[in-house]
Amino acid sequence: MDQINQTDRGAQMRALESQQFDLLVIGGGITGAGVARDAAMRGLSVALIEAQDFASGTSSRSSKMIHGGLRYLVAGDISVVKESASERAILHRIAPHLAQKTPYVIPTSNGRSKLILRAALWAYERLGGVERNDFHEAWSLDELKKNEPLIATAGLNGAVVYPEFLTDDARLTVATVRSAVAHGACVSTYLSAVKIRREDHFEVQARSTLPGDTGEVVLRASAVVNAAGPWVDAVCGLEQEQAPRLALSRGVHLVFKHQDLPVHNTVVMRTHDARRIFAVPLGDYTYIGTTDDYHPESEYWPPVTERDVSYLLAGTRQVMPEANLTPDNIVSVWSGIRPLVADGSGRASKELSRKDEVWVSSSGMLSVGGGKLSAYRAMAERIVDQVVEANGLTAAPCQTAEVSLPGGNTATALSGDWDAAAMERIQRLYGSEAQQVVGSTSTAAALVAAEVNHAVLSEGALRLEDYWARRSSRAWFDEQAGLPILAQAASAMGALLHWDATREAAEIENCLAIDAASRAGFANQHFVEDTTDAHRKAS
């Protein structure tokens, strides 16, 4: 069974303490999920713990893109280009609902710039083994005007268009954990590592962070992988004091109704400080992002500032002035922390490598920093290879590229009286499980309860924000940021998790507070267009 059901917390804790595992993974983001899945599929006994919810940090706050690695071609990193393109194709095969093609439109200003971009893409397509039907194309100025009428065309001569892939990062993480569970992994959210020591084997003391739960467990394992994302340095410190290895960077995205920013494809926009931001259509919404500034704190809900909003709006207005976007048009925002590996150069965060790096402590614990969502599966394969070799474990070869993730089988038509937007959303979130999730429901109100039931009983949701922000993405892509459905969702979750009225109210208040805090830095502020380079680098 690939279901994650955490409703019996006591049984879950007993299972974690019942054996010595081959591998304990600390961190339930996409890296930890990928490592747990790979190791479990090779026949290792695996446990995974996460201090909050699956994907509660970086892995639900990315730009939600599976990039093919074109940017690495410019840097001459051919191996990364090949890996990124290959991994993109693999994910599309094992989870097509979580890797949907979206054409990238890059406006060009003259024949030379168009030729240079096309030459790079020709090289990329051949090095990356891109299928012919995914080759790029060039648009004339008339084609650009026709296909993306919102783009101001003064000074342009057309565009170059090529496909990338759009994902739901949180659901990709949860699906990966579910696959790990299906192959025998034992997992738990809201369980934070508080102490790590090793003699003959690792012993990791962990404490519950779930409201009202004060339980503690001690997990035993032959090997430990620290995949805690922005909290990697903190987990390293549980074992021994050491200098930080990470340089944290904050990225912000803004969501608008699609009618306010009606792009048909993903539009790549060049900003005044030589960065590129995106306008991405998704169902009834369009989001723009991202910023890239150093951020000193490893926070679950990092702030969104007036400067962030001003920067993204200015970049969008420059390319699509007729959109006339203002902060009042913002439906929702998200802000996430990238766990980049510091190089001591003092360079701007946008210039730091996104490559993953693994280091080993004196006790043998592996810690992972950096890395890209696009290559999570290949990164996990390398890490598990290292774990197996370093610990003399017996393991089968990696199989993660061949086995579909939950929801990744051939989808069937969805029955019920759904409008086109609702049907597209349901199938995009749940893939081949869509009909199983919605059952016989055919109304928006019944759909919330059906989704909550699936989130709790099959996807391990334990708090209202788990469903609102990560299982359903309603916090980002729903009317009024999904706030109107909170009471109904809390009632449905409460029935499954035995909440009383006080706990339901507290869960609702937690989500309202998250939404309010995300807007506090820019709500009711006076905005001016950001045309300086002040956003380039924060020290």
Side-chain angles (χ1 to χ4, degrees), residues 71 292 294 340 343 345-354:
R71 62 173 288 185
D292 193 345
Y294 284 121
L340 306 178
D343 65 3
S345 66
R347 295 181 297 173
S349 57
K350 69 176 182 178
E351 297 172 346
L352 290 184
S353 172
R354 267 53 177 172

Side-chain angles (χ1 to χ4, degrees), residues 137-149:
E137 59 180 309
W139 284 353
S140 67
L141 187 59
D142 286 342
E143 288 173 317
L144 177 60
K145 290 177 179 178
K146 176 184 176 182
N147 295 325
E148 290 294 349

Side-chain angles (χ1 to χ4, degrees), residues 117-201:
L117 182 55
R118 295 196 70 186
L121 281 163
W122 277 319
Y124 162 71
E125 287 159 356
R126 283 150 183 79
L127 287 170
V130 176
E131 294 183 6
R132 182 165 293 277
N133 61 352
D134 285 337
F135 279 11
H136 75 279
E137 59 180 309
W139 284 353
S140 67
L141 187 59
D142 286 342
E143 288 173 317
L144 177 60
K145 290 177 179 178
K146 176 184 176 182
N147 295 325
E148 290 294 349
L150 203 59
I151 295 177
T153 55
L156 299 180
N157 75 334
V160 174
V161 185
Y162 73 100
E164 288 285 17
F165 288 77
L166 188 64
T167 192
D168 184 312
D169 47 7
R171 292 203 59 79
L172 175 60
T173 303
V174 171
T176 304
V177 177
R178 286 180 61 193
S179 182
V181 169
H183 290 87
C186 185
V187 305
S188 179
T189 57
Y190 295 98
L191 192 62
S192 176
V194 296
K195 186 175 181 180
I196 301 172
R197 67 187 185 92
R198 182 174 190 176
E199 292 180 359
D200 293 335
H201 57 267

Side-chain angles (χ1 to χ4, degrees), residues 372-386:
K372 291 285 290 179
L373 175 67
S374 305
Y376 85 94
R377 192 210 62 82
M379 179 169 59
E381 181 177 351
R382 291 193 297 270
I383 292 167
V384 176
D385 284 345
Q386 189 170 343

